[in-house]
Amino acid sequence: MKKHNFSAGPSILPDSVIKQAAAAVLNFDNMDLSLVEVSHRSPQFDAVIKKAQKLVLELAGLEGKGYEVLFLGGGASLQFLMTAYNLLPENGKAGFLDTGTWSKKAIKEADIMGNAVVLASSKDKGYNYIPKNFDIPNDLAYVHVTSNNTIFGTQIKDFPNTSIPLVADMSSDIFSKVLDFSKFDLIYAGAQKNIGASGTTLVIVKKEILDKTGRTIPSMMNYQTHISKDSLFHTPSVFSIYVSMLYMQWVKDLGGVAAMEKINDAKADLLYGEIDNNPNFVGFAAKEDRSPMNVTFTLVDESKKEHFEKLAQEAGIHAFKGHRSVGGYRASIYNAMPIESVQALVNVMKAL
Ligand SMILES: *Cc1c(COP(=O)(O)O)cnc(C)c1O
């Protein structure tokens, strides 16, 4: 039997997506060739990337609204730098909401390109909440937020209302719930959490915010390069893009992001309900900021650790240890996670 995969990333994929991807690795589109040995410029792969781009705009409700969809290399980590390279003038300022490890990394890279200003931070409480009611100065080139904090298990529920371009790292919650995606001018997400396999990063960018910095941007770092070549300026990860296309089609077939949200809420309610009702456990994140994607919790009595982890192992629970910076447990219950697996974890918690 397959394990219940709570890994934070790379993470669980829908079974049907794995099967279709495996079949395409053997014989892609009846070409009698493997997906991973055909040209990225073949008409067959061109159809894949076009379909993936279309699915992104459909799921986000952004069709015909001036957005470009890219599938780039370098992970979300390269986007920390690339967003600043493309949006921040040399002496300019960008504002950041500091909500944890990934935000800090984004701040560090932007500060190389200009001035990264921390608008608010939840560092004072070990990043267990989302700061609210902070001011946004009007001299910023853009504001950057991390929509879901994968390590700490917090999620932004209300995004800042601002006329300044809004940039979001949505790596760990993209297409998990209904959102007004048009609030954002640039969204990026490593595919390996909620929409695919590692090796590609989705970027959704409103074209009108580009070319405003006066900088000379190296070709590979310039969004315009990738827009003008439709993500084929260089050889992209053909396999990863294919998997993302299948994954987004799976979300669409379920009924889109609204249907996905219902499923995700049911899973999160089940697990948080157990954490709140079981005297053996305590949640890490402030209740109002809890992430439905990464559920962080600890044992009240550390002496039960060995027993709990043994029970979990016997039940086939995989990769639910907390990040080393937080400790305890983290159950990542992304889009592809079936509620049966969440129930399996809850059963183990009940049995303790
Ligand atoms: C995992 C993660 C990243 C880093 O992604 P890579 O693709 O490994 O560079 C960045 N931001 C968030 C929110 C993440 O969860």
Side-chain angles (χ1 to χ4, degrees), residues 8 74-78 80 102 146 148-151 169-172 188 190-193 200-201 334:
S77 297
L78 182 61
F80 300 153
W102 298 116
T146 312
N148 185 77
N149 297 281
T150 324
I151 292 174
D169 174 359
M170 294 195 187
S171 292
S172 53
Y188 61 90
Q192 69 272 21
K193 278 134 188 172
T200 192
T201 304
Y334 299 123

PDB file of all heavy atoms in Angstrom, residues 8 74-78 80 102 146 148-151 169-172 188 190-193 200-201 334, ligand 1:
ATOM      1  N   ALA A   8       6.560  18.090   2.911  1.00  0.00           N
ATOM      2  CA  ALA A   8       6.365  19.527   2.657  1.00  0.00           C
ATOM      3  C   ALA A   8       6.737  19.926   1.232  1.00  0.00           C
ATOM      4  O   ALA A   8       6.308  20.959   0.739  1.00  0.00           O
ATOM      5  CB  ALA A   8       7.175  20.331   3.661  1.00  0.00           C
ATOM      6  N   GLY A  74      15.060  27.387 -11.705  1.00  0.00           N
ATOM      7  CA  GLY A  74      15.646  28.102 -10.563  1.00  0.00           C
ATOM      8  C   GLY A  74      14.797  28.109  -9.309  1.00  0.00           C
ATOM      9  O   GLY A  74      15.213  28.677  -8.290  1.00  0.00           O
ATOM     10  N   GLY A  75      13.625  27.525  -9.363  1.00  0.00           N
ATOM     11  CA  GLY A  75      12.780  27.438  -8.167  1.00  0.00           C
ATOM     12  C   GLY A  75      12.222  28.786  -7.734  1.00  0.00           C
ATOM     13  O   GLY A  75      12.526  29.827  -8.338  1.00  0.00           O
ATOM     14  N   ALA A  76      11.422  28.757  -6.704  1.00  0.00           N
ATOM     15  CA  ALA A  76      10.910  30.007  -6.128  1.00  0.00           C
ATOM     16  C   ALA A  76      12.085  30.829  -5.616  1.00  0.00           C
ATOM     17  O   ALA A  76      12.045  32.059  -5.612  1.00  0.00           O
ATOM     18  CB  ALA A  76       9.925  29.703  -5.012  1.00  0.00           C
ATOM     19  N   SER A  77      13.159  30.143  -5.243  1.00  0.00           N
ATOM     20  CA  SER A  77      14.334  30.847  -4.698  1.00  0.00           C
ATOM     21  C   SER A  77      14.926  31.833  -5.703  1.00  0.00           C
ATOM     22  O   SER A  77      15.382  32.904  -5.316  1.00  0.00           O
ATOM     23  CB  SER A  77      15.405  29.837  -4.281  1.00  0.00           C
ATOM     24  OG  SER A  77      14.911  29.020  -3.246  1.00  0.00           O
ATOM     25  N   LEU A  78      14.933  31.486  -6.988  1.00  0.00           N
ATOM     26  CA  LEU A  78      15.443  32.442  -7.975  1.00  0.00           C
ATOM     27  C   LEU A  78      14.490  33.634  -8.102  1.00  0.00           C
ATOM     28  O   LEU A  78      14.921  34.759  -8.373  1.00  0.00           O
ATOM     29  CB  LEU A  78      15.644  31.773  -9.341  1.00  0.00           C
ATOM     30  CG  LEU A  78      16.224  32.700 -10.421  1.00  0.00           C
ATOM     31  CD1 LEU A  78      17.604  33.226 -10.029  1.00  0.00           C
ATOM     32  CD2 LEU A  78      16.308  32.003 -11.771  1.00  0.00           C
ATOM     33  N   PHE A  80      13.064  35.178  -5.772  1.00  0.00           N
ATOM     34  CA  PHE A  80      13.379  36.193  -4.754  1.00  0.00           C
ATOM     35  C   PHE A  80      14.238  37.298  -5.381  1.00  0.00           C
ATOM     36  O   PHE A  80      14.037  38.481  -5.132  1.00  0.00           O
ATOM     37  CB  PHE A  80      14.144  35.580  -3.574  1.00  0.00           C
ATOM     38  CG  PHE A  80      13.403  34.487  -2.836  1.00  0.00           C
ATOM     39  CD1 PHE A  80      14.104  33.498  -2.154  1.00  0.00           C
ATOM     40  CD2 PHE A  80      12.016  34.455  -2.809  1.00  0.00           C
ATOM     41  CE1 PHE A  80      13.434  32.492  -1.466  1.00  0.00           C
ATOM     42  CE2 PHE A  80      11.340  33.454  -2.128  1.00  0.00           C
ATOM     43  CZ  PHE A  80      12.055  32.465  -1.459  1.00  0.00           C
ATOM     44  N   TRP A 102      10.957  31.989   4.414  1.00  0.00           N
ATOM     45  CA  TRP A 102      10.953  32.288   2.969  1.00  0.00           C
ATOM     46  C   TRP A 102      10.889  33.780   2.730  1.00  0.00           C
ATOM     47  O   TRP A 102      11.533  34.294   1.814  1.00  0.00           O
ATOM     48  CB  TRP A 102       9.820  31.544   2.265  1.00  0.00           C
ATOM     49  CG  TRP A 102       9.966  30.058   2.374  1.00  0.00           C
ATOM     50  CD1 TRP A 102       9.122  29.189   3.007  1.00  0.00           C
ATOM     51  CD2 TRP A 102      11.046  29.250   1.877  1.00  0.00           C
ATOM     52  NE1 TRP A 102       9.608  27.907   2.914  1.00  0.00           N
ATOM     53  CE2 TRP A 102      10.778  27.907   2.239  1.00  0.00           C
ATOM     54  CE3 TRP A 102      12.215  29.538   1.163  1.00  0.00           C
ATOM     55  CZ2 TRP A 102      11.637  26.847   1.908  1.00  0.00           C
ATOM     56  CZ3 TRP A 102      13.067  28.478   0.822  1.00  0.00           C
ATOM     57  CH2 TRP A 102      12.777  27.168   1.199  1.00  0.00           C
ATOM     58  N   THR A 146       4.408  36.655   1.417  1.00  0.00           N
ATOM     59  CA  THR A 146       4.428  35.194   1.281  1.00  0.00           C
ATOM     60  C   THR A 146       3.039  34.728   1.707  1.00  0.00           C
ATOM     61  O   THR A 146       2.682  34.853   2.882  1.00  0.00           O
ATOM     62  CB  THR A 146       5.498  34.572   2.206  1.00  0.00           C
ATOM     63  OG1 THR A 146       6.726  35.282   2.039  1.00  0.00           O
ATOM     64  CG2 THR A 146       5.694  33.090   1.919  1.00  0.00           C
ATOM     65  N   ASN A 148       1.551  31.903   2.063  1.00  0.00           N
ATOM     66  CA  ASN A 148       1.448  30.776   3.004  1.00  0.00           C
ATOM     67  C   ASN A 148       2.851  30.415   3.477  1.00  0.00           C
ATOM     68  O   ASN A 148       3.751  30.228   2.663  1.00  0.00           O
ATOM     69  CB  ASN A 148       0.802  29.573   2.295  1.00  0.00           C
ATOM     70  CG  ASN A 148       0.551  28.413   3.238  1.00  0.00           C
ATOM     71  OD1 ASN A 148      -0.396  28.440   4.027  1.00  0.00           O
ATOM     72  ND2 ASN A 148       1.392  27.399   3.183  1.00  0.00           N
ATOM     73  N   ASN A 149       2.995  30.362   4.799  1.00  0.00           N
ATOM     74  CA  ASN A 149       4.310  30.110   5.372  1.00  0.00           C
ATOM     75  C   ASN A 149       4.460  28.626   5.684  1.00  0.00           C
ATOM     76  O   ASN A 149       4.047  28.142   6.726  1.00  0.00           O
ATOM     77  CB  ASN A 149       4.513  31.010   6.583  1.00  0.00           C
ATOM     78  CG  ASN A 149       4.490  32.462   6.152  1.00  0.00           C
ATOM     79  OD1 ASN A 149       5.472  32.977   5.628  1.00  0.00           O
ATOM     80  ND2 ASN A 149       3.337  33.102   6.283  1.00  0.00           N
ATOM     81  N   THR A 150       5.057  27.969   4.731  1.00  0.00           N
ATOM     82  CA  THR A 150       5.199  26.519   4.675  1.00  0.00           C
ATOM     83  C   THR A 150       5.804  25.925   5.948  1.00  0.00           C
ATOM     84  O   THR A 150       5.416  24.839   6.373  1.00  0.00           O
ATOM     85  CB  THR A 150       6.119  26.182   3.473  1.00  0.00           C
ATOM     86  OG1 THR A 150       5.835  27.106   2.421  1.00  0.00           O
ATOM     87  CG2 THR A 150       5.921  24.774   2.991  1.00  0.00           C
ATOM     88  N   ILE A 151       6.742  26.636   6.527  1.00  0.00           N
ATOM     89  CA  ILE A 151       7.481  26.106   7.683  1.00  0.00           C
ATOM     90  C   ILE A 151       6.717  26.331   8.979  1.00  0.00           C
ATOM     91  O   ILE A 151       6.637  25.448   9.833  1.00  0.00           O
ATOM     92  CB  ILE A 151       8.888  26.741   7.731  1.00  0.00           C
ATOM     93  CG1 ILE A 151       9.700  26.223   6.529  1.00  0.00           C
ATOM     94  CG2 ILE A 151       9.581  26.464   9.067  1.00  0.00           C
ATOM     95  CD1 ILE A 151      11.052  26.866   6.348  1.00  0.00           C
ATOM     96  N   ASP A 169       4.613  35.384  -3.158  1.00  0.00           N
ATOM     97  CA  ASP A 169       5.161  34.029  -3.235  1.00  0.00           C
ATOM     98  C   ASP A 169       4.039  33.101  -2.779  1.00  0.00           C
ATOM     99  O   ASP A 169       3.703  33.051  -1.606  1.00  0.00           O
ATOM    100  CB  ASP A 169       6.380  33.937  -2.307  1.00  0.00           C
ATOM    101  CG  ASP A 169       6.941  32.519  -2.215  1.00  0.00           C
ATOM    102  OD1 ASP A 169       6.379  31.598  -2.850  1.00  0.00           O
ATOM    103  OD2 ASP A 169       7.951  32.344  -1.504  1.00  0.00           O
ATOM    104  N   MET A 170       3.438  32.402  -3.731  1.00  0.00           N
ATOM    105  CA  MET A 170       2.321  31.487  -3.415  1.00  0.00           C
ATOM    106  C   MET A 170       2.749  30.026  -3.548  1.00  0.00           C
ATOM    107  O   MET A 170       1.933  29.156  -3.839  1.00  0.00           O
ATOM    108  CB  MET A 170       1.123  31.758  -4.339  1.00  0.00           C
ATOM    109  CG  MET A 170       0.477  33.097  -4.144  1.00  0.00           C
ATOM    110  SD  MET A 170      -1.152  33.147  -4.938  1.00  0.00           S
ATOM    111  CE  MET A 170      -1.556  34.879  -4.722  1.00  0.00           C
ATOM    112  N   SER A 171       4.025  29.773  -3.315  1.00  0.00           N
ATOM    113  CA  SER A 171       4.554  28.418  -3.547  1.00  0.00           C
ATOM    114  C   SER A 171       3.746  27.326  -2.863  1.00  0.00           C
ATOM    115  O   SER A 171       3.560  26.255  -3.425  1.00  0.00           O
ATOM    116  CB  SER A 171       6.003  28.333  -3.071  1.00  0.00           C
ATOM    117  OG  SER A 171       6.834  29.121  -3.882  1.00  0.00           O
ATOM    118  N   SER A 172       3.303  27.597  -1.621  1.00  0.00           N
ATOM    119  CA  SER A 172       2.689  26.483  -0.894  1.00  0.00           C
ATOM    120  C   SER A 172       1.178  26.587  -0.741  1.00  0.00           C
ATOM    121  O   SER A 172       0.589  25.789  -0.006  1.00  0.00           O
ATOM    122  CB  SER A 172       3.371  26.299   0.465  1.00  0.00           C
ATOM    123  OG  SER A 172       3.395  27.506   1.183  1.00  0.00           O
ATOM    124  N   TYR A 188       4.400  34.143  -7.942  1.00  0.00           N
ATOM    125  CA  TYR A 188       5.270  33.026  -8.316  1.00  0.00           C
ATOM    126  C   TYR A 188       5.062  31.859  -7.363  1.00  0.00           C
ATOM    127  O   TYR A 188       4.624  32.035  -6.228  1.00  0.00           O
ATOM    128  CB  TYR A 188       6.742  33.432  -8.398  1.00  0.00           C
ATOM    129  CG  TYR A 188       7.364  33.960  -7.123  1.00  0.00           C
ATOM    130  CD1 TYR A 188       7.987  33.094  -6.217  1.00  0.00           C
ATOM    131  CD2 TYR A 188       7.375  35.318  -6.832  1.00  0.00           C
ATOM    132  CE1 TYR A 188       8.580  33.576  -5.058  1.00  0.00           C
ATOM    133  CE2 TYR A 188       7.961  35.802  -5.671  1.00  0.00           C
ATOM    134  CZ  TYR A 188       8.567  34.936  -4.792  1.00  0.00           C
ATOM    135  OH  TYR A 188       9.158  35.403  -3.646  1.00  0.00           O
ATOM    136  N   GLY A 190       6.859  27.802  -6.790  1.00  0.00           N
ATOM    137  CA  GLY A 190       7.547  26.561  -7.155  1.00  0.00           C
ATOM    138  C   GLY A 190       6.470  25.495  -7.316  1.00  0.00           C
ATOM    139  O   GLY A 190       5.553  25.415  -6.512  1.00  0.00           O
ATOM    140  N   ALA A 191       6.588  24.672  -8.341  1.00  0.00           N
ATOM    141  CA  ALA A 191       5.482  23.748  -8.651  1.00  0.00           C
ATOM    142  C   ALA A 191       5.353  22.598  -7.655  1.00  0.00           C
ATOM    143  O   ALA A 191       4.279  22.005  -7.526  1.00  0.00           O
ATOM    144  CB  ALA A 191       5.676  23.174 -10.051  1.00  0.00           C
ATOM    145  N   GLN A 192       6.428  22.313  -6.918  1.00  0.00           N
ATOM    146  CA  GLN A 192       6.504  21.025  -6.207  1.00  0.00           C
ATOM    147  C   GLN A 192       5.670  20.897  -4.944  1.00  0.00           C
ATOM    148  O   GLN A 192       5.698  19.866  -4.293  1.00  0.00           O
ATOM    149  CB  GLN A 192       7.971  20.705  -5.882  1.00  0.00           C
ATOM    150  CG  GLN A 192       8.614  21.595  -4.843  1.00  0.00           C
ATOM    151  CD  GLN A 192       9.251  22.846  -5.426  1.00  0.00           C
ATOM    152  OE1 GLN A 192       8.920  23.273  -6.510  1.00  0.00           O
ATOM    153  NE2 GLN A 192      10.168  23.453  -4.681  1.00  0.00           N
ATOM    154  N   LYS A 193       4.921  21.963  -4.596  1.00  0.00           N
ATOM    155  CA  LYS A 193       4.049  21.830  -3.436  1.00  0.00           C
ATOM    156  C   LYS A 193       2.597  21.600  -3.861  1.00  0.00           C
ATOM    157  O   LYS A 193       2.018  20.584  -3.539  1.00  0.00           O
ATOM    158  CB  LYS A 193       4.179  23.037  -2.528  1.00  0.00           C
ATOM    159  CG  LYS A 193       5.407  22.902  -1.626  1.00  0.00           C
ATOM    160  CD  LYS A 193       6.239  24.100  -1.527  1.00  0.00           C
ATOM    161  CE  LYS A 193       7.532  23.804  -0.769  1.00  0.00           C
ATOM    162  NZ  LYS A 193       8.449  24.922  -0.817  1.00  0.00           N
ATOM    163  N   THR A 200      10.159  23.189 -12.025  1.00  0.00           N
ATOM    164  CA  THR A 200       9.651  24.367 -12.720  1.00  0.00           C
ATOM    165  C   THR A 200       8.955  25.282 -11.718  1.00  0.00           C
ATOM    166  O   THR A 200       8.484  24.834 -10.675  1.00  0.00           O
ATOM    167  CB  THR A 200       8.700  23.997 -13.885  1.00  0.00           C
ATOM    168  OG1 THR A 200       8.475  25.169 -14.685  1.00  0.00           O
ATOM    169  CG2 THR A 200       7.369  23.444 -13.402  1.00  0.00           C
ATOM    170  N   THR A 201       8.960  26.555 -12.045  1.00  0.00           N
ATOM    171  CA  THR A 201       8.329  27.563 -11.193  1.00  0.00           C
ATOM    172  C   THR A 201       7.348  28.353 -12.033  1.00  0.00           C
ATOM    173  O   THR A 201       7.705  28.868 -13.098  1.00  0.00           O
ATOM    174  CB  THR A 201       9.394  28.519 -10.613  1.00  0.00           C
ATOM    175  OG1 THR A 201      10.360  27.734  -9.935  1.00  0.00           O
ATOM    176  CG2 THR A 201       8.783  29.518  -9.649  1.00  0.00           C
ATOM    177  N   TYR A 334      -1.475  19.342   1.109  1.00  0.00           N
ATOM    178  CA  TYR A 334      -1.693  20.110  -0.122  1.00  0.00           C
ATOM    179  C   TYR A 334      -2.877  19.579  -0.936  1.00  0.00           C
ATOM    180  O   TYR A 334      -3.455  18.541  -0.617  1.00  0.00           O
ATOM    181  CB  TYR A 334      -0.425  20.058  -0.975  1.00  0.00           C
ATOM    182  CG  TYR A 334       0.795  20.643  -0.305  1.00  0.00           C
ATOM    183  CD1 TYR A 334       1.961  19.900  -0.129  1.00  0.00           C
ATOM    184  CD2 TYR A 334       0.796  21.960   0.165  1.00  0.00           C
ATOM    185  CE1 TYR A 334       3.094  20.442   0.476  1.00  0.00           C
ATOM    186  CE2 TYR A 334       1.918  22.507   0.764  1.00  0.00           C
ATOM    187  CZ  TYR A 334       3.063  21.746   0.916  1.00  0.00           C
ATOM    188  OH  TYR A 334       4.174  22.282   1.516  1.00  0.00           O
TER     189      TYR A 334
HETATM  190  C1  LIG B   1       9.439  25.788  -0.805  1.00  0.00           C
HETATM  191  C2  LIG B   1       9.263  27.245  -0.818  1.00  0.00           C
HETATM  192  C3  LIG B   1      10.169  28.101  -1.470  1.00  0.00           C
HETATM  193  C4  LIG B   1      11.438  27.603  -2.134  1.00  0.00           C
HETATM  194  O1  LIG B   1      11.149  26.941  -3.292  1.00  0.00           O
HETATM  195  P1  LIG B   1      12.295  26.351  -4.239  1.00  0.00           P
HETATM  196  O2  LIG B   1      11.524  25.945  -5.434  1.00  0.00           O
HETATM  197  O3  LIG B   1      12.933  25.228  -3.483  1.00  0.00           O
HETATM  198  O4  LIG B   1      13.265  27.438  -4.509  1.00  0.00           O
HETATM  199  C5  LIG B   1       9.904  29.452  -1.484  1.00  0.00           C
HETATM  200  N1  LIG B   1       8.805  29.948  -0.890  1.00  0.00           N
HETATM  201  C6  LIG B   1       7.926  29.162  -0.242  1.00  0.00           C
HETATM  202  C7  LIG B   1       6.727  29.779   0.386  1.00  0.00           C
HETATM  203  C8  LIG B   1       8.126  27.791  -0.184  1.00  0.00           C
HETATM  204  O5  LIG B   1       7.245  27.017   0.449  1.00  0.00           O
END
